[in-house]
Amino acid sequence: MLRDPVSRYLSEWKHVQRGATWKTSLHMCDGRSPTPDELPTCYPGDDWSGVSLREFMDCSYNLANNRQVRMLADLSLVGCYNLTFMNESERNTILLQSAKNNLKNMAFFGLTEFQRKTQFLFERTFNLKFISPFTQFNITRASNVDINEGARQRIEELNFLDMQLYEYAKDLFQQRYHHTKQLEHQRDRQRRREERRLHREHRGHRWPKEDGNTEGAVTEDYNSQVVRW
């Protein structure tokens, strides 16, 4: 599941502000975890409770930045968390392309902002049915955060790779949705044509009643029709 990068970032900030941490995450890549120099922490102590949005944005090591790209990409292509492995521009290009490729190769992915379409694609992809429809919640913790345009632009800049990935994901998602819808319409038309054909054939097998037919003749004619059916 992917999400609008600004909303996702604000949601993670609120989550961390309430005391959430990822201390148990090993961030394994190429068989090892990053060193403290490769991945410094943004805060001292046990957690980052009460962190302001500005403090959250000001930490350059914050893994909330471009999280969706980083979690979809193959980090081994860029030396994992070793930022000296290659220059930043090359690293960003490779990460974004890797994330796009991996997303494209997935049988299914959904978008938080399109719950009903996500449900439709999941059910058609895996031939499963949910017992109740997905609910689109437009009021979230992130939507309740009141930020000015400057803060929004800063978040977009910090998540510029996620912004590009999300645009790509939306386009790919809509393509898959419309393609699946089209296939479903084609199958429905084919099913209706088949039903009409069978109905015509069934009508064609009927026979007119003739005067003077005996009960035995009718029975014999019926039995012959059954054989043909």
Side-chain angles (χ1 to χ4, degrees):
M1 294 294 295
L2 277 77
R3 187 177 181 182
D4 168 72
V6 174
S7 295
R8 198 217 63 79
Y9 189 87
L10 290 171
S11 180
E12 181 167 347
W13 163 57
K14 297 299 289 185
H15 192 50
V16 170
Q17 191 181 57
R18 295 192 301 273
T21 68
W22 283 264
K23 285 185 175 182
T24 57
S25 299
L26 299 178
H27 305 292
M28 294 292 291
C29 180
D30 273 353
R32 70 175 183 86
S33 295
T35 66
D37 289 335
E38 290 174 337
L39 190 58
T41 59
C42 288
Y43 55 89
D46 294 331
D47 57 43
W48 212 2
S49 297
V51 59
S52 68
L53 180 58
R54 179 174 293 279
E55 290 171 328
F56 194 73
M57 293 189 295
D58 284 346
C59 179
S60 59
Y61 303 108
N62 194 342
L63 292 181
N65 299 341
N66 295 310
R67 181 179 290 278
Q68 294 180 106
V69 164
R70 192 183 68 260
M71 296 188 74
L72 275 171
D74 180 0
L75 297 183
S76 64
L77 297 175
V78 295
C80 299
Y81 292 90
N82 181 4
L83 300 183
T84 64
F85 187 78
M86 63 178 60
N87 67 66
E88 183 179 4
S89 177
E90 183 180 7
R91 177 185 176 88
N92 290 336
T93 299
I94 293 174
L95 283 175
L96 179 59
Q97 190 58 52
S98 176
K100 287 180 177 180
N101 291 341
N102 288 336
L103 187 69
K104 185 177 181 180
N105 290 330
M106 288 182 178
F108 163 84
F109 70 89
L111 301 179
T112 301
E113 287 72 24
F114 299 94
Q115 291 290 330
R116 293 297 176 87
K117 290 182 178 180
T118 292
Q119 178 178 1
F120 172 83
L121 280 177
F122 186 96
E123 291 179 338
R124 300 313 186 274
T125 301
F126 300 111
N127 195 28
L128 296 169
K129 270 287 189 182
F130 290 96
I131 60 174
S132 59
F134 285 15
T135 302
Q136 186 73 53
F137 290 108
N138 294 319
I139 304 300
T140 64
R141 288 190 175 92
S143 66
N144 287 328
V145 176
D146 187 19
I147 59 173
N148 57 40
E149 188 59 29
R152 174 174 292 277
Q153 289 180 2
R154 178 81 190 285
I155 293 173
E156 290 177 355
E157 291 169 0
L158 291 171
N159 294 273
F160 71 104
L161 295 178
D162 273 11
M163 297 294 293
Q164 295 176 74
L165 174 66
Y166 190 69
E167 288 303 312
Y168 173 83
K170 282 195 298 185
D171 182 62
L172 182 59
F173 179 85
Q174 294 292 355
Q175 288 182 40
R176 289 186 177 187
Y177 174 78
H178 291 302
H179 177 68
T180 304
K181 271 285 191 183
Q182 186 177 37
L183 289 178
E184 187 169 79
H185 289 327
Q186 290 174 354
R187 285 193 293 267
D188 288 343
R189 287 196 296 269
Q190 180 63 31
R191 178 179 52 79
R192 288 193 294 269
R193 283 197 295 267
E194 185 65 15
E195 289 173 350
R196 288 195 294 269
R197 182 185 68 79
L198 292 174
H199 182 66
R200 287 195 299 270
E201 289 182 357
H202 179 69
R203 291 182 60 185
H205 288 153
R206 294 178 180 176
W207 60 93
K209 291 183 178 180
E210 296 182 3
D211 294 338
N213 275 353
T214 65
E215 182 179 349
V218 172
T219 302
E220 180 182 359
D221 188 55
Y222 171 78
N223 289 336
S224 66
Q225 293 292 336
V226 170
V227 172
R228 289 214 304 272
W229 290 342

